[in-house]
Amino acid sequence: MSYLSQSQIISIPISEQFRQTALEFAQGQPTVAKAKQVYLNTLAVQVVNTYLTMLDIPTELEAGYCWLPRGRLFADVADLVLTGVGRLECRPIRSGDRTCQIPPEVWDNRIGYIVVEINKSCKEGKIIGFTPDVTTSEIHLEQLQSLTVLIEYSHLVQLRQWLEGIYTSNWQSIEELSNQRSNQLSFRAKRVRGFELDNPAKAWQVVEQLYPYRSWEKNLPKELLDNTGQQTGNLEVSPNNYSKLTGAIAHLLQTTPDEETRWTLAEILWTLEPNHPAISARRLIDLGMRLAGHPVALMVAILAKPDRNVAVLLRVYPMGNQPYLPPGLELAGLDENGQTFLEVKARENKDDYIQCKFCAEFGERFQVRVSINNVSIQENFVI
């Protein structure tokens, strides 16, 4: 084969049990063509699952859409869930094929695509290669990357999965981390534009400051009006219209093009309703005492953008009884080549957090480094 060297291709025997499972799934299909599709898809998924198990990469075989009767009936799907990482699509080809078909229904919500060659007797599967993203319904085998890229991806924090509510266990919500008695986050009173966000009425005052001359009115849909035709902002904040208030903020967050305004709205919504789906892709990792004895936590939050890119917010907070970050502590964002594109340092007795903001595209990799006194901790991400 000219597209990848033989040393890069992994051969996995297909057992009788694998073929029996594939046959069982295929027999429930309405046409011969659909039955063949399901049969090969099921074999490909089992081959990849065997390979990843050999590498001690945890998977959840039966959590895939292709393991659900309705999932395989209504879609051409061959997904394998990597625990805490996301869905990997396992696409089958036959011996001699030079291209692989990628149906449009699996272009989204995937951490990548792995191609498996099934031989004529269906007794052997060869894992040919991997690609992290697709934009067309057909890929040439020459485009595939080494399987080492897949292994690297399995160890990256997959931020795209955060938008689907999928997180690894070491990344926690602020509430989860704060509820651990020994890991209290040190927060000052939340203030945005001079207002303490201690009740919904004050929160809405901040929203009105963001939109001079009530320009927010034209951005709200009719369902966020009250029965008299007035906007939420005119109403007295009460349990009856609280959902309208948070709904209005969430709608503005999703439709406002200005990045600073969007993050301010996110901050307000975090305070009013931390688990609102519009801003739920926010997690922290406890860096503990690994940073020269300084207890801090790294927060990462992402917001989906209308142009299919994402906005990223990085923050470092002090933990325990420390009201401020240690002076000189640095937070930096680096590209996949290790080049710094953003950095900020904590000042003495002044910063209860430091942060960086930037935008990134799906498939883009970056690194986050937290450091002080030549000691650093680094986390690796992919959008």
Side-chain angles (χ1 to χ4, degrees):
M1 295 183 182
S2 60
Y3 37 88
L4 288 176
S5 67
Q6 288 290 338
S7 62
Q8 293 176 296
I9 296 173
I10 308 297
S11 294
I12 301 293
I14 297 176
S15 66
E16 177 63 30
Q17 182 181 352
F18 285 3
R19 293 194 297 274
Q20 185 60 41
T21 299
L23 180 61
E24 178 185 338
F25 289 178
Q27 287 175 336
Q29 306 311 308
T31 66
V32 173
K34 181 63 178 177
K36 180 180 179 181
Q37 175 195 99
V38 168
Y39 186 83
L40 293 176
N41 284 353
T42 306
L43 292 180
V45 170
Q46 292 178 104
V47 165
V48 175
N49 184 65
T50 300
Y51 173 62
L52 296 181
T53 300
M54 291 165 56
L55 297 178
D56 291 324
I57 297 175
T59 63
E60 299 170 37
L61 179 63
E62 297 184 8
Y65 298 131
C66 65
W67 232 253
L68 301 174
R70 291 178 62 85
R72 56 181 177 262
L73 176 62
F74 294 109
D76 181 0
V77 61
D79 61 322
L80 175 64
V81 175
L82 276 60
T83 304
V85 178
R87 295 182 187 275
L88 176 67
E89 188 69 18
C90 313
R91 301 308 307 179
I93 60 172
R94 301 312 301 267
S95 298
D97 289 349
R98 305 288 298 196
T99 61
C100 178
Q101 301 302 312
I102 312 291
E105 59 259 45
V106 301
W107 288 6
D108 296 319
N109 191 26
R110 297 293 187 273
I111 62 169
Y113 303 80
I114 193 164
V115 176
V116 181
E117 180 185 278
I118 308 295
N119 70 356
K120 291 183 179 180
S121 65
C122 294
K123 293 185 178 180
E124 181 186 52
K126 292 182 177 180
I127 299 179
I128 303 298
F130 170 79
T131 183
D133 211 353
V134 296
T135 56
T136 62
S137 59
E138 182 179 84
I139 58 173
H140 292 270
L141 300 189
E142 289 84 356
Q143 299 173 246
L144 297 175
Q145 302 177 43
S146 167
L147 295 177
T148 58
V149 178
L150 168 62
I151 298 170
E152 291 174 4
Y153 259 69
S154 70
H155 291 93
L156 293 175
V157 180
Q158 306 280 339
L159 291 182
R160 185 187 300 195
Q161 301 303 309
W162 287 21
L163 298 172
E164 303 293 330
I166 302 172
Y167 311 96
T168 51
S169 59
N170 55 334
W171 288 90
Q172 299 175 289
S173 69
I174 285 183
E175 295 71 32
E176 289 170 337
L177 196 56
S178 295
N179 287 336
Q180 297 176 14
R181 183 169 298 178
S182 61
N183 286 333
Q184 290 291 317
L185 284 170
S186 297
F187 286 115
R188 285 181 179 173
K190 290 286 188 178
R191 296 180 66 87
V192 174
R193 298 208 168 194
F195 287 92
E196 289 188 11
L197 301 183
D198 55 1
N199 64 63
K202 289 184 179 180
W204 188 254
Q205 285 181 292
V206 182
V207 175
E208 290 184 314
Q209 280 199 350
L210 294 174
Y211 293 87
Y213 309 110
R214 302 176 64 82
S215 59
W216 48 266
E217 290 186 349
K218 62 184 179 182
N219 291 330
L220 295 182
K222 292 181 179 179
E223 58 266 23
L224 294 176
L225 299 172
D226 72 355
N227 293 333
T228 65
Q230 293 179 310
Q231 297 292 87
T232 306
N234 288 332
L235 301 177
E236 179 184 354
V237 176
S238 68
N240 292 333
N241 61 31
Y242 182 80
S243 62
K244 285 189 176 182
L245 173 64
T246 56
I249 295 172
H251 183 83
L252 292 172
L253 170 65
Q254 293 165 343
T255 56
T256 298
D258 180 73
E259 287 303 314
E260 285 301 317
T261 300
R262 278 162 51 81
W263 281 118
T264 302
L265 291 167
E267 196 88 53
I268 296 169
L269 202 51
W270 283 335
T271 304
L272 295 178
E273 193 174 334
N275 296 316
H276 193 286
I279 44 85
S280 60
R282 176 181 62 147
R283 285 295 187 271
L284 295 96
I285 188 169
D286 178 6
L287 301 183
M289 300 293 287
R290 291 181 289 158
L291 202 65
H294 298 288
V296 296
L298 170 65
M299 185 191 87
V300 178
I302 58 174
L303 296 175
K305 299 179 62 177
D307 59 4
R308 290 179 57 82
N309 293 342
V310 296
V312 182
L313 170 66
L314 311 174
R315 278 185 184 170
V316 176
Y317 289 105
M319 296 183 67
N321 297 320
Q322 305 300 316
Y324 302 106
L325 290 169
L329 183 140
E330 182 180 88
L331 169 65
L334 301 84
D335 63 23
E336 61 181 304
N337 298 315
Q339 299 298 310
T340 302
F341 61 85
L342 280 174
E343 60 183 346
V344 62
K345 286 187 177 182
R347 302 164 295 176
E348 187 169 2
N349 296 331
K350 286 190 175 181
D351 293 316
D352 55 348
Y353 69 81
I354 54 176
Q355 67 179 22
C356 297
K357 300 173 185 174
F358 61 95
C359 294
E361 299 178 351
F362 283 119
E364 190 172 340
R365 299 194 214 181
F366 67 92
Q367 304 163 9
V368 177
R369 184 180 64 219
V370 182
S371 59
I372 187 171
N373 299 332
N374 298 319
V375 178
S376 66
I377 296 175
Q378 187 165 296
E379 295 286 338
N380 301 307
F381 300 86
V382 61
I383 301 294

